[in-house]
């Protein structure tokens, strides 16, 4: 008996795929696009962590050569089209509205990054609800986990690269630890899986939670928004590493997160990493100051005699004690705090 393949109609073309990746992302995305057909029936929006001074041209050129879909950098107001892949430009967040138009903003960094994965995923969850499909690929730490949770809570589909298939499994592992993924698969299976999903009946539509809408609006407006962040959680006695302001602990969901009223956002792991970085910077500053003090006291003692010279040398020796202690701390292996924070 001859089977008829379901014809894709206009009603099927209102789905959206958003992808987040970091370390190892170029090779992962290259393999991903190789498995997509030229008539792929949905737009794909991608955030990959890259430095602010990068152009992203190598990424775009590589993927255009590797696959059949058109890959471009997003620009503000651009209409997302089927069979196109849109990348967040360097140092800008990429968002999307319900009409499929892209927004490109200079909002506050989230999880130390701009572009950030969470802002894109959140905007997709709010704009597309159960029509959004979120994918987390290889990378460090846990950017994208909160965004994938938002897609899950809004009725969308969540796909996570199998950690054993990822060059850097942190991001997939963290996502799987917080979100019940609909699919945990290697990249080689994603093309056929997405094609099947796009032909399937939509999941059940759910009401978009207010807290997700608020966080999406903060990123979209690029404004200080004290009332909105107050509604998201309670103030805590921690400072924002990005601006020095007060942080609020987000009370919704199992993932421990923090946000300041200017828009910076951190998971607990990233906040610990940032605090560790600040501590190290402070320790290096203290080391320099103590060394300068010791040197000055030593020089000063040589121009003195008697009790004054002795006092200066004693103070120089006391400074050396602090120098030795700080050096010992700086030489200690603190990578466990940075890279292996508790789950």
């Amino acid at each position: 008996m001859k089977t008829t393949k379901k014809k894709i109609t206009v009603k099927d073309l209102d789905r959206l795929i958003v992808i987040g990746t970091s370390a190892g992302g170029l090779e992962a995305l290259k393999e991903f696009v190789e498995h997509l057909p030229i008539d792929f029936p949905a737009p794909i929006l991608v955030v990959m962590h890259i430095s602010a001074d990068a152009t992203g041209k190598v990424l775009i050129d590589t993927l255009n050569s590797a696959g059949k879909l058109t890959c471009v950098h997003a620009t503000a107001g651009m209409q997302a089209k089927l069979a196109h892949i849109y990348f967040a430009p360097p140092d800008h967040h990429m968002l999307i509205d319900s009409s499929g138009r892209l927004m490109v903003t200079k909002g506050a960094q989230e999880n130390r990054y701009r572009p950030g994965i969470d802002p894109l995923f959140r905007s997709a969850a709010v704009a597309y609800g159960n029509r959004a499909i979120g994918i987390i690929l290889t990378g460090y730490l846990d950017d994208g986990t909160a965004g994938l949770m938002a897609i899950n809570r809004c009725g969308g589909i969540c796909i996570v690269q199998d950690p054993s298939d990822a060059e850097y499994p942190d991001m997939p592992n963290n996502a799987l630890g917080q979100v019940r993924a609909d699919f945990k698969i290697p990249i080689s299976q994603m093309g056929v899986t997405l094609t099947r999903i796009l032909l399937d009946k939509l999941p059940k539509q759910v009401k978009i939670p207010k807290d997700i809408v608020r966080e999406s609006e903060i990123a979209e407006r690029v404004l200080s928004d004290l009332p909105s962040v107050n509604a998201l959680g309670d103030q805590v006695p921690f400072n924002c590493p990005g601006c020095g302001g007060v942080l609020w602990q987000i009370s919704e969901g199992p993932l421990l997160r923090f946000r300041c009223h200017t828009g910076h956002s951190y998971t607990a792991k990233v906040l610990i990493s940032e605090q560790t970085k600040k501590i190290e910077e402070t320790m290096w500053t203290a080391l320099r100051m103590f060394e300068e003090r010791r040197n000055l006291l030593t020089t000063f003692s040589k121009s003195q005699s008697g009790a004054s010279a002795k006092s200066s040398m004693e103070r120089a020796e006391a400074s050396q004690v602090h120098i030795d202690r700080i050096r010992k701390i700086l030489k200690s292996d603190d990578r466990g705090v940075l890279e292996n924070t508790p789950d």
Side-chain angles (χ1 to χ4, degrees):
M1 179 178 176
K2 185 178 180 180
T3 58
T4 303
K5 186 176 180 179
K6 179 181 175 182
K7 183 180 179 181
I8 297 173
T9 66
V10 174
K11 290 183 179 179
D12 297 311
L13 304 180
D14 58 355
R15 304 291 284 271
L16 176 73
I17 296 165
V18 289
I19 299 176
T21 187
S22 184
L26 178 57
E27 289 302 314
L29 290 169
K30 184 179 175 182
E31 182 179 357
F32 176 80
V33 301
E34 287 173 350
H35 296 283
L36 301 181
I38 193 170
D39 59 347
F40 188 73
I44 301 172
L45 276 56
V46 181
V47 164
M48 178 174 165
H49 295 156
I50 57 176
S51 63
D53 57 355
T55 65
K57 186 177 184 301
V58 172
L59 173 64
I60 296 294
D61 290 347
T62 299
L63 297 185
N64 273 319
S65 298
K68 304 178 183 68
L69 276 59
T70 300
C71 302
V72 297
H73 273 130
T75 58
M78 182 180 282
Q79 179 69 50
K81 298 178 182 179
L82 310 183
H84 281 63
I85 302 177
Y86 301 90
F87 281 85
D91 203 30
H92 289 76
H93 291 310
M94 177 174 63
L95 314 171
I96 190 166
D97 65 20
S98 57
S99 70
R101 291 203 175 274
L102 304 180
M103 293 173 278
V104 176
T105 77
K106 285 280 282 187
Q109 292 183 350
E110 296 206 25
N111 274 328
R112 301 184 299 184
Y113 289 105
R114 188 175 57 213
I117 301 170
D118 289 335
L120 170 62
F121 278 31
R122 247 185 253 114
S123 73
V126 170
Y128 279 73
N130 66 340
R131 296 173 294 148
I133 301 170
I135 302 176
I136 293 292
L137 302 179
T138 172
Y140 284 126
L141 289 176
D142 57 359
D143 188 25
T145 296
L148 199 66
M149 287 173 60
I151 289 175
N152 177 261
R153 291 174 61 202
C154 292
I157 290 175
C158 300
I159 300 175
V160 178
Q161 181 181 6
D162 189 328
S164 65
D165 181 60
E167 185 176 356
Y168 298 90
D170 277 13
M171 276 175 46
N173 273 325
N174 281 309
L176 290 169
Q178 299 289 340
V179 184
R180 193 180 72 170
D182 297 284
F183 299 91
K184 183 185 77 170
I185 53 178
I187 290 179
S188 60
Q189 295 180 19
M190 288 188 182
V192 65
T193 300
L194 286 171
T195 301
R196 185 172 70 249
I197 290 171
L198 293 172
L199 293 173
D200 286 344
K201 184 179 178 181
L202 282 169
K204 182 180 178 182
Q205 180 63 283
V206 300
K207 185 177 180 180
I208 308 299
K210 290 182 179 179
D211 62 292
I212 297 177
V213 174
R214 287 193 189 101
E215 289 202 80
S216 183
E217 288 175 344
I218 289 172
E220 182 179 336
R221 289 200 298 262
V222 198
L223 293 172
S224 296
D225 197 336
L226 193 58
S228 290
V229 76
N230 262 325
L232 292 170
D234 299 319
Q235 282 191 27
V236 289
F238 311 135
N239 291 107
C240 172
C243 65
V246 176
L247 287 174
W248 279 256
Q249 181 174 321
I250 307 301
S251 55
E252 192 67 47
L255 181 65
L256 185 58
R257 295 192 297 125
F258 303 89
R259 182 180 277 284
C260 75
H261 74 89
T262 61
H264 296 109
S265 177
Y266 308 89
T267 61
K269 289 186 177 184
V270 173
L271 183 59
I272 291 170
S273 179
E274 281 294 278
Q275 287 180 338
T276 303
K277 179 181 175 182
K278 294 290 185 183
I279 290 170
E280 184 176 349
E281 291 173 355
T282 302
M283 296 298 286
W284 281 110
T285 300
L287 177 62
R288 174 184 59 79
M289 295 182 70
F290 272 114
E291 287 181 337
E292 289 178 358
R293 185 172 187 269
R294 177 204 58 194
N295 295 339
L296 180 58
L297 286 166
T298 301
T299 301
F300 180 68
S301 70
K302 292 177 181 178
S303 66
Q304 304 296 306
S305 61
S308 179
K310 182 180 179 182
S311 175
S312 295
M313 283 306 300
E314 287 175 349
R315 292 161 67 192
E317 291 169 1
S319 295
Q320 185 62 51
V321 171
H322 293 300
I323 290 168
D324 293 340
R325 287 173 177 168
I326 294 172
R327 282 178 175 166
K328 185 176 181 180
I329 293 172
L330 288 170
K331 288 180 179 179
S332 65
D333 183 5
D334 196 31
R335 294 180 66 186
V337 176
L338 285 168
E339 299 176 5
N340 298 306
T341 50
D343 292 329

